[in-house]
Amino acid sequence: MTSVQFTVGKLDAGMAILLTEDHHLIEFPSLLLPNGVTSGSIVNIAVTRNVAKEEKKMCEFWDLQKNILTQFGNAEPEHPLLRVKNITQTSLVLEWDPLVLHTAALRSLSIYKNNTKVTQHVPSESNLAKLSGLEVDHEFEFYIVIKTTAGSYKSNIVTARTHKMENLTGIRVAFGTFEESEPAITELKALVEKVGATWTDSVNSETTHLLAQLPGGPGYDNAVHFSIPIVKPDWLVQCDKNKKIQPALPYYIVSVPNNH
């Protein structure tokens, strides 16, 4: 314990000015002084270090640090695993596994094409993105970067080449409304398989064209939402006849904005 003698100088606004014998000055809360102390009074102030309490607080602090490390510091987010799901002449679909962030939170996800950030927004809950407007028969490198509360993590790099005009394997069609669905749709499915393309029962982000004779019906709204061309069946017939993909615009049944 350390004890120091002070002379009370001035009392003002809840503070006391205390002077030591060697003329050092400190400010001290007047509420902590004994009753009856005034200017000129002499007081002894004793200071004791509470080692036991100090050690207890230090133990509590380090226990907290260990708990934080155990809960938040041992498992970092995993690097995304990227792949190409579908390719056409001017577009492709990138897909990645569900993000494993552990205790971190996602701040943003960005796509890079040939080391340049793509401006396209990707919803945080999505695990795929369709990129359109690409050059025909051109090779690209892609990767994604996720920014989290635990730092930034880059995916693997994937290389993909868009198709030549003669390559129809990237076509992925769905079927809309027909005046008479049969045998028209069955015949179109056979033609799709003949040219090496694929078909699905529903419209999604991977669909490249919706074949229909009339607007409306199943999949029509989704096709509009994804800016998918809605074309007459003759478009597919002409693709087969010319042995290469044909422009969709002349075969539109309605005017649908698109990125193809």
Side-chain angles (χ1 to χ4, degrees):
M1 182 176 67
T2 301
S3 180
V4 181
Q5 181 177 294
F6 294 92
T7 300
V8 179
K10 181 181 179 181
L11 296 169
D12 183 38
M15 298 299 295
I17 305 300
L18 306 181
L19 302 173
T20 65
E21 292 181 342
D22 52 357
H23 309 297
H24 287 87
L25 180 149
I26 67 169
E27 292 184 349
F28 195 79
S30 59
L31 288 175
L32 299 180
L33 295 175
N35 293 331
V37 168
T38 62
S39 296
S41 297
I42 295 177
V43 296
N44 287 338
I45 297 179
V47 180
T48 303
R49 181 179 179 182
N50 193 334
V51 177
K53 190 69 173 179
E54 185 178 314
E55 291 176 349
K56 180 181 178 183
K57 288 293 184 182
M58 187 60 69
C59 288
E60 292 175 354
F61 171 79
W62 286 114
D63 286 343
L64 177 61
Q65 298 304 305
K66 291 176 182 178
N67 289 336
I68 292 174
L69 179 62
T70 300
Q71 294 184 38
F72 303 102
N74 287 335
E76 290 188 33
E78 298 180 12
H79 290 268
L81 183 59
L82 183 66
R83 57 187 168 271
V84 178
K85 193 169 185 182
N86 190 52
I87 304 176
T88 70
Q89 281 73 13
T90 59
S91 67
L92 56 78
V93 175
L94 294 176
E95 184 184 49
W96 51 92
D97 291 342
L99 300 178
V100 180
L101 303 178
H102 295 294
T103 56
L106 180 66
R107 287 180 171 171
S108 66
L109 186 152
S110 302
I111 300 173
Y112 286 79
K113 179 183 72 176
N114 294 343
N115 292 319
T116 300
K117 184 177 179 180
V118 178
T119 57
Q120 180 172 325
H121 172 69
V122 181
S124 58
E125 67 277 5
S126 177
N127 72 321
L128 59 83
K130 184 175 183 179
L131 303 182
S132 302
L134 304 176
E135 297 177 45
V136 177
D137 190 24
H138 193 82
E139 187 171 277
F140 300 92
E141 284 188 350
F142 298 94
Y143 63 87
I144 63 175
V145 174
I146 58 172
K147 292 185 177 180
T148 74
T149 52
S152 297
Y153 297 85
K154 178 180 174 181
S155 76
N156 57 304
I157 297 175
V158 295
T159 302
R161 176 178 286 276
T162 50
H163 289 173
K164 295 180 179 180
M165 298 300 290
E166 296 79 14
N167 187 342
L168 304 180
T169 59
I171 297 175
R172 190 179 181 89
V173 304
F175 303 97
T177 302
F178 287 75
E179 294 177 356
E180 292 185 9
S181 58
E182 293 298 340
I185 292 180
T186 299
E187 293 173 352
L188 286 170
K189 287 180 178 178
L191 185 57
V192 168
E193 294 173 358
K194 175 187 174 184
V195 301
T198 56
W199 57 268
T200 59
D201 291 323
S202 59
V203 175
N204 53 46
S205 61
E206 296 179 56
T207 304
T208 61
H209 299 80
L210 179 69
L211 301 182
Q213 293 176 331
L214 300 170
Y220 180 85
D221 291 338
N222 281 341
V224 174
H225 174 73
F226 288 115
S227 297
I228 294 171
I230 304 172
V231 295
K232 300 173 184 177
D234 192 46
W235 170 82
L236 183 63
V237 174
Q238 293 302 316
C239 287
D240 177 46
K241 181 179 179 180
N242 292 278
K243 305 305 177 184
K244 66 179 181 179
I245 194 166
Q246 299 297 299
L249 186 59
Y251 302 93
Y252 278 176
I253 61 169
V254 288
S255 178
V256 179
N258 73 91
N259 296 321
H260 293 261

